Amino acid sequence: MINPQYRSSKSRITKQRENQDRINIQILEYIKSVNEAKDAETLWFGMRGQGSNMSISSFNTRLKKLVEAGLVEKISQRYNKHFYRITPKA
């Protein structure tokens, strides 16, 4: 019998949450494989080229959450132009 995973004593990780985590890991792995800072649209096109069918809006939302979590670094170059890369280890 497979034991369900738990976040706390009473809440179980749902299939939807597992799927979101899997997609976030795919995004992180792709950004890591690029080896240089790229803008969000370029990263999204690269993910699409690898078979992802995520919309640009969903990608940007997930990217924003990864930045907030400190896993991805957002670098501002010019007005309204941002580049992203994996946060270097301190």
Side-chain angles (χ1 to χ4, degrees), residues 13-78:
I13 295 177
T14 63
K15 291 288 184 188
Q16 182 180 12
R17 184 65 199 164
E18 285 178 359
N19 195 26
Q20 290 173 352
D21 289 345
R22 181 184 52 78
I23 292 169
N24 287 342
I25 290 169
Q26 287 176 344
I27 292 171
L28 285 171
E29 288 175 353
Y30 180 73
I31 294 172
K32 194 176 200 179
S33 73
V34 172
N35 292 328
E36 61 184 61
K38 299 275 188 184
D39 67 319
E41 189 174 4
T42 303
L43 293 170
W44 177 69
F45 276 123
M47 294 276 303
R48 297 274 300 180
Q50 289 187 345
S52 173
N53 60 355
M54 184 183 327
S55 70
I56 186 74
S57 176
S58 293
F59 181 81
N60 285 332
T61 300
R62 289 176 189 277
L63 192 58
K64 181 180 175 184
K65 290 183 187 256
L66 292 171
V67 168
E68 290 171 356
L71 299 171
V72 173
E73 183 179 21
K74 180 178 180 180
I75 305 163
S76 298
Q77 291 283 325
R78 296 182 296 268

